[in-house]
Amino acid sequence: MKLMPTVFCLLLVVLALGGARVEARGTPSADQGSKNQWSSMFVFGDGFVDNGNLPKTDTWRQWSYPYGSYLNSRGSATPVPTGRLSNYWIQSDFIARILGLNEAPPSYRLTPHLSCDPSGMTFAFGGAGVYEVPDKKVPTLATQVNAFTRLLNTGVISKQQLQSSVALVSISGSDYMTGANVDNAFLSSFDDIDSYIGNVTTEIAKNVGKLQRLGVRKVLVNNMHPIGCTPLRTSANNYTTCDLLANYAATVHNNNIEHLMGNKNNAHILDLYTAFTDIVNHAPGEGSEQSNNFKRKLTPCCEASTELGYCGQVSPSGKRLYDLCKNPEKNFYWDETYPTTAGWEAVTEALEEPLREFLDRDYVP
Ligand SMILES: *[C@@H]1O[C@H](CO)[C@@H](O)[C@H](O)[C@H]1NC(C)=O
Ligand SMILES: *[C@@H]1O[C@H](CO)[C@@H](O)[C@H](O)[C@H]1NC(C)=O
């Protein structure tokens, strides 16, 4: 009983300090940087930033063992799948660290009902696009934003949290894959392709606009990485060169994004195209230091050992049906689509400076 007043006083001190910290948020000084101002993050889009929404029982990709298995070498006793489509950390983890968080906010699926972590939430879903993929039950970008809207409307996510929140939107080409809506669109000419890409980018911009109207202060939007350089496309020529037509589509996409979003207040385009290209597809002799750190740039680390198999596949008797490279630190790509943690680290380094400038800039109401 005697202790009570002491505890109470301590509590008051803690509250007062907490209050002071909140006050300081409005005026970030150089040494505080964006760390204190942006304490929460909401993540939308696809597998570049999904950290656990893709269910393990998913039939189109039996995601299990190799994903996150290298957690092992970083201090955990047994390999633990992290829910990420990579060997360990992914883009949203690195962006979260720039904000001063430890890692990406927890996934929607793994967050307890009617709650929201102070660091935010990840709605992104591996394989998602702006359009529905007919035979895959993947929530589109708009569906993800709707889920976020519901949590806001019901007060699970508070207005206060929203004010110190940054959103990250990643749409990285699911809409342009075989089996996607594009197959139903009967694209037979460059005009059709341009029109379809125009529709995809318009949808992205619409959702960004919606997030801003809902009160998210700052929005980060990935542009399209050079999709012609993913191992999925380079496998056709033994992982030697990028597919130029696919990269052309990415540049059309990016010109649209720039046009729709380039001058928008409180929105920032993360230039994945340049960051990826500088690493995996620079002109010979112009390799940056970053680029030279990678020995294998167009080849997956994790590869199916059978023709129709996939990374992570195991036989009914539990036999591994995929091969892993020896040194994922030297591989840019983890599997046929997603970069390694080392790849993401290098990409984030290239994005960091303009991103910090954007975050430090005043919010324009
Ligand atoms: C783009 O959207 C418009 C309007 O919804 C539609 O009429 C058109 O068919 C779409 N284009 C393609 C190539 O999907
Ligand atoms: C593909 O590349 C590997 C490794 O460089 C080589 O051993 C193999 O012969 C090549 N295959 C073809 C079909 O070019």
Side-chain angles (χ1 to χ4, degrees):
M1 271 294 157
K2 270 262 168 73
L3 273 177
M4 270 304 256
T6 323
V7 171
F8 190 61
C9 281
L10 275 177
L11 204 66
L12 274 183
V13 170
V14 169
L15 283 176
L17 285 175
R21 216 171 281 143
V22 170
E23 295 273 286
R25 270 180 191 167
T27 52
S29 65
D31 57 343
Q32 279 178 321
S34 31
K35 258 188 202 163
N36 298 340
Q37 191 182 10
W38 307 113
S39 55
S40 165
M41 186 175 168
F42 292 99
V43 183
F44 304 90
D46 55 28
F48 274 10
V49 296
D50 176 6
N51 62 354
N53 286 316
L54 193 65
K56 287 184 194 175
T57 52
D58 199 74
T59 48
W60 65 276
R61 162 170 238 133
Q62 297 275 329
W63 148 63
S64 63
Y65 210 28
Y67 295 97
S69 62
Y70 277 82
L71 197 60
N72 203 10
S73 62
R74 302 203 180 212
S76 167
T78 48
V80 180
T82 62
R84 292 152 167 85
L85 294 165
S86 185
N87 48 331
Y88 190 44
W89 272 347
I90 53 173
Q91 187 194 4
S92 45
D93 295 299
F94 286 106
I95 302 280
R97 290 183 63 83
I98 289 176
L99 301 185
L101 303 170
N102 289 329
E103 57 178 8
S107 65
Y108 176 77
R109 188 171 70 92
L110 300 176
T111 299
H113 187 54
L114 297 182
S115 73
C116 179
D117 192 82
S119 71
M121 202 181 293
T122 297
F123 295 87
F125 204 104
V130 302
Y131 291 120
E132 249 163 58
V133 181
D135 52 349
K136 296 174 191 164
K137 296 263 179 297
V138 178
T140 61
L141 178 59
T143 307
Q144 295 171 22
V145 172
N146 285 343
F148 171 72
T149 309
R150 274 198 304 278
L151 294 183
L152 261 183
N153 290 345
T154 51
V156 174
I157 298 170
S158 69
K159 288 271 184 294
Q160 198 189 2
Q161 178 165 1
L162 210 55
Q163 290 194 355
S164 54
S165 290
V166 170
L168 169 63
V169 178
S170 168
I171 292 293
S172 320
S174 300
D175 295 293
Y176 303 139
M177 305 269 276
T178 312
N181 208 42
V182 69
D183 275 0
N184 305 333
F186 298 109
L187 306 181
S188 55
S189 69
F190 276 102
D191 279 353
D192 282 350
I193 294 175
D194 280 355
S195 154
Y196 181 72
I197 295 174
N199 287 1
V200 171
T201 47
T202 303
E203 277 303 309
I204 295 174
K206 257 196 229 162
N207 283 287
V208 169
K210 183 165 179 194
L211 289 171
Q212 294 189 312
R213 280 195 303 281
L214 288 168
V216 178
R217 285 293 166 98
K218 300 245 176 174
V219 185
L220 313 175
V221 187
N222 279 353
N223 73 1
M224 190 69 62
H225 63 109
I227 40 181
C229 297
T230 53
L232 189 65
R233 308 269 176 175
T234 61
S235 67
N237 55 47
N238 206 10
Y239 303 122
T240 53
T241 52
C242 301
D243 172 353
L244 292 181
L245 191 61
N247 283 355
Y248 165 77
T251 59
V252 173
H253 178 104
N254 292 342
N255 289 342
N256 289 347
I257 291 281
E258 181 65 37
H259 177 73
L260 293 165
M261 224 108 55
N263 301 320
K264 247 191 189 161
N265 286 327
N266 312 312
H268 175 72
I269 300 168
L270 294 169
D271 189 1
L272 295 196
Y273 190 89
T274 305
F276 275 55
T277 301
D278 284 349
I279 296 167
V280 302
N281 195 28
H282 57 85
E286 287 175 11
S288 62
E289 194 187 320
Q290 285 292 13
S291 175
N292 295 331
N293 283 340
F294 293 98
K295 291 233 154 48
R296 305 195 329 155
K297 299 166 186 175
L298 304 176
T299 313
C301 171
C302 180
E303 208 176 351
S305 32
T306 60
E307 200 180 330
L308 293 175
Y310 47 84
C311 165
Q313 189 179 22
V314 286
S315 73
S317 63
K319 193 168 160 280
R320 232 168 76 167
L321 298 177
Y322 57 89
D323 300 311
L324 287 179
C325 65
K326 288 206 180 63
N327 192 355
E329 298 291 319
K330 296 284 176 196
N331 269 248
F332 184 80
Y333 278 105
W334 175 246
D335 66 3
E336 57 185 18
T337 310
Y338 302 98
T340 56
T341 294
W344 278 126
E345 191 168 18
V347 165
T348 311
E349 218 163 275
L351 302 175
E352 183 162 352
E353 202 181 303
L355 170 57
R356 280 194 188 277
E357 268 168 34
F358 166 73
L359 292 173
D360 286 344
R361 218 174 293 153
D362 285 338
Y363 170 74
V364 184

